[in-house]
Amino acid sequence: MQPLTDEHSAQLWEAFRGGEARALATLFDGYYEALYHYGLKLTGDEELVKDCIQNLFQKLWRRREGLRAVQVVKAYLFKALRRHLGDETKLLRQHRYLLPAYSDSFEVTYSHEEFLIAQQGDAEQSARLLAALNRLSKRQREALYLKFFDGFAYERIAEVMGLNTQSVRNLIFNALQVLRKVLAVVMLLLCGLAA
């Protein structure tokens, strides 16, 4: 399936609001994988993420007539999934007492596979960068994920995370500053070893 453009998604959204089930199915198919990976980054619980995505689209269908027009459907869906996962996680914690205290900031972690750094360079460099990424704040990691893995603009990241645009810019800028410092140290070490 071809990736959905913002314009095509907005057209599908309007058709879905008008009662076309196939339009919603196309949105589901087009965004399922991105929603799934984002949800996994937030919770790490595959079954919860799958259930929440299904529930989200069922809820959208039931409430379609009351929904507003949306220009960037992907950002809308990410925000809705984030909220739905938070609600479900909170309910699980209240009813089962299985999980630690609820927080609306999710834990985004990065793996070696996502960056393919190990294939491109030194394993020690890879480990240092990975450690630096995982030392960033939860919000910094989430903002970086949305920016660089899902390609969202600052305004859309702000919408998804419930922040203002300048806060998102600051989060990403500060995170990149930390990563640059780590990479600079790694490069100095590598140059020192080569000399």
Side-chain angles (χ1 to χ4, degrees):
M1 172 178 215
Q2 291 280 356
L4 295 173
T5 64
D6 288 344
E7 183 179 326
H8 186 224
S9 295
Q11 291 168 350
L12 288 168
W13 183 264
E14 286 308 303
F16 140 68
R17 286 178 57 215
E20 285 187 38
R22 186 71 218 141
L24 184 63
T26 302
L27 289 170
F28 179 87
D29 292 341
Y31 289 122
Y32 181 85
E33 189 173 331
L35 289 167
Y36 176 74
H37 289 294
Y38 179 59
L40 275 182
K41 286 292 171 196
L42 297 178
T43 69
D45 184 334
E46 290 182 32
E47 294 307 312
L48 177 64
V49 172
K50 289 176 185 177
D51 289 345
C52 282
I53 292 170
Q54 290 285 340
N55 292 342
L56 171 62
F57 278 85
Q58 289 171 354
K59 187 185 292 187
L60 288 172
W61 180 253
R62 286 191 309 271
R63 297 180 178 176
R64 69 187 174 277
E65 293 171 359
L67 294 174
R68 62 180 169 81
V70 174
Q71 290 183 334
V72 183
V73 175
K74 185 177 180 182
Y76 179 92
L77 293 174
F78 270 56
K79 181 179 181 179
L81 179 63
R82 186 180 199 275
R83 184 178 298 127
H84 190 52
L85 282 168
D87 292 345
E88 288 300 311
T89 303
K90 189 175 183 179
L91 282 173
L92 283 172
R93 289 180 180 136
Q94 287 175 347
H95 293 294
R96 297 187 187 148
Y97 303 104
L98 294 177
L99 304 169
Y102 172 74
S103 167
D104 70 347
S105 23
F106 293 102
E107 183 73 33
V108 174
T109 57
Y110 293 94
S111 68
H112 288 282
E113 293 79 21
E114 289 174 303
F115 287 95
L116 301 174
I117 296 169
Q119 294 176 359
Q120 298 174 4
D122 182 60
E124 188 174 326
Q125 179 183 359
S126 172
R128 287 177 194 216
L129 180 57
L130 185 61
L133 283 166
N134 287 323
R135 272 185 274 173
L136 297 174
S137 74
K138 293 175 184 181
R139 286 198 177 262
Q140 285 175 323
R141 289 192 303 257
E142 184 176 0
L144 284 177
Y145 183 85
L146 292 170
K147 179 75 175 154
F148 296 108
F149 285 89
D150 284 303
F152 282 132
Y154 292 111
E155 295 77 17
R156 299 301 169 220
I157 297 169
E159 183 181 327
V160 170
M161 294 180 69
L163 300 171
N164 68 48
T165 304
Q166 188 58 49
S167 294
V168 169
R169 288 180 184 279
N170 292 344
L171 278 173
I172 292 174
F173 176 81
N174 291 333
L176 291 175
Q177 289 295 94
V178 169
L179 295 178
R180 280 187 190 105
K181 287 177 186 173
V182 169
L183 288 175
V185 169
V186 169
M187 292 308 293
L188 284 174
L189 289 172
L190 290 174
C191 289
L193 293 174

